[in-house]
Amino acid sequence: MSKLIIDAAKDKIFFKIITKKESYTSDYLNSRENFDKFNIFLISFLLDNNTKIQDIDTVFINQGPGNFSGIRISIASAKALKLVNNFDLYGFKTGDVIDENYDKIIELFEKGALIKNMVKIEYTN
């Protein structure tokens, strides 16, 4: 099974798939136009990397603080996909990612520092 990281709280919409053998990333400018295309970007990213949503067992989502619209669309999309595909959903904070090193999220997960299905949104003004 694979893990998916979604981060739209900062200046880019970021996706990362982590499998047992490899990892893949992609990012897009965090803009109003791209929020409208968020789900298209996500599905295209999965398809481009030969991953079906059913292959994902865990999703990590940035719950902020950060961009209001980016956080809102990414969390809403992840929760909708969770309803249909029944994967585990974990929230992380913007401060958990240092120098764009998303491996820290997996470390926190493996230490039990992230809470399953607990996403508490933090927006910035």
Side-chain angles (χ1 to χ4, degrees), residues 41-88:
F41 290 150
L42 177 57
I43 298 305
S44 294
F45 171 67
L46 294 171
L47 291 173
D48 290 346
N49 293 292
N50 299 316
T51 304
K52 298 176 187 172
I53 195 69
Q54 296 86 353
D55 297 335
I56 305 291
D57 63 346
T58 309
V59 174
F60 302 95
I61 187 95
N62 190 337
Q63 57 192 1
N67 179 289
F68 173 82
S69 297
I71 294 169
R72 184 180 60 185
I73 190 71
S74 60
I75 289 176
S77 296
K79 285 185 173 184
L81 288 170
K82 179 186 176 4
L83 287 173
V84 176
N85 296 287
N86 199 30
F87 48 71
D88 294 333

Side-chain angles (χ1 to χ4, degrees), residues 91-102:
F92 65 91
K93 295 184 179 197
T94 300
D96 294 335
V97 178
I98 299 168
D99 296 327
E100 297 184 20
N101 181 4
Y102 286 86

